[in-house]
């Protein structure tokens, strides 16, 4: 399960970095372009915020899983096993949310016409 968590974490970090880099590269040079681009960037800003939130959730799941695993190694505890099951469910939800956001980002990028330099 920890490999899956690390994979989701890395994917989210990569997506955040890519979106932020794309926003920097597309900074307009004239005021009229800037206004048009601001209107187009609204969905991207939301995506970056959503991804950052998902990354925080993922990191929290990672930390709680590591803590629970350490406690489980110390001795058998049914409460810890239940916690691990809950964390596995949370992990599945975060993965699904990340997949949905990724699909939305891909659709947005397909619908944005390339800018001429």
């Amino acid at each position: 399960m920890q490999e899956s968590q690390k994979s989701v974490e890395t994917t989210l970090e990569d997506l955040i970095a890519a979106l932020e880099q794309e926003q920097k590269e597309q900074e307009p040079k004239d005021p009229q372009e800037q206004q048009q681009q601001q209107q187009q960037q609204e969905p991207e800003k939301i995506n970056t915020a959503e991804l950052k939130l998902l990354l925080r959730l993922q990191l929290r799941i990672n930390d709680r899983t590591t803590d629970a695993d350490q406690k489980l190694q110390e001795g058998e505890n049914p409460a810890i096993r239940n916690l691990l099951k809950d964390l596995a469910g949370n992990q599945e939800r975060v993965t699904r949310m990340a997949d949905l956001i990724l699909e939305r980002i891909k659709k947005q990028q397909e619908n944005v016409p390339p800018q001429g330099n």
Side-chain angles (χ1 to χ4, degrees):
M1 182 163 69
Q2 290 180 353
E3 275 185 41
S4 171
Q5 292 172 344
K6 191 64 177 170
S7 175
V8 172
E9 178 183 334
T10 302
T11 300
L12 291 171
E13 288 172 343
D14 291 346
L15 285 170
I16 291 168
L19 283 172
E20 288 175 344
Q21 181 64 32
E22 185 176 320
Q23 288 172 352
K24 284 180 186 178
E25 289 174 357
Q26 293 182 355
E27 288 180 1
K29 290 166 181 66
D30 78 43
Q32 191 175 21
E33 267 186 57
Q34 185 175 14
Q35 185 179 14
Q36 289 174 342
Q37 188 174 15
Q38 283 175 344
Q39 293 170 350
Q40 291 175 350
Q41 281 186 342
E42 275 309 304
E44 290 177 7
K45 289 179 184 177
I46 293 169
N47 288 333
T48 303
E50 289 173 331
L51 288 171
K52 287 180 179 180
L53 176 62
L54 274 181
L55 178 58
R56 281 187 288 237
L57 290 171
Q58 182 63 54
L59 293 172
R60 193 175 308 144
I61 290 169
N62 293 358
D63 290 342
R64 291 180 67 201
T65 301
T66 300
D67 291 343
D69 188 48
Q70 288 174 351
K71 289 177 184 176
L72 191 60
Q73 298 301 321
E74 295 168 3
E76 185 66 27
N77 186 334
I80 298 298
R81 290 210 180 272
N82 288 336
L83 174 61
L84 288 171
K85 287 179 185 176
D86 290 345
L87 289 170
N90 290 343
Q91 180 64 55
E92 287 179 29
R93 284 188 288 281
V94 168
T95 301
R96 273 184 284 169
M97 287 187 282
D99 289 342
L100 289 172
I101 291 172
L102 181 57
E103 286 177 29
R104 209 170 69 215
I105 290 169
K106 286 179 182 178
K107 285 180 184 176
Q108 286 175 358
Q109 289 176 341
E110 290 170 0
N111 293 329
V112 174
Q115 291 184 350
N117 290 330

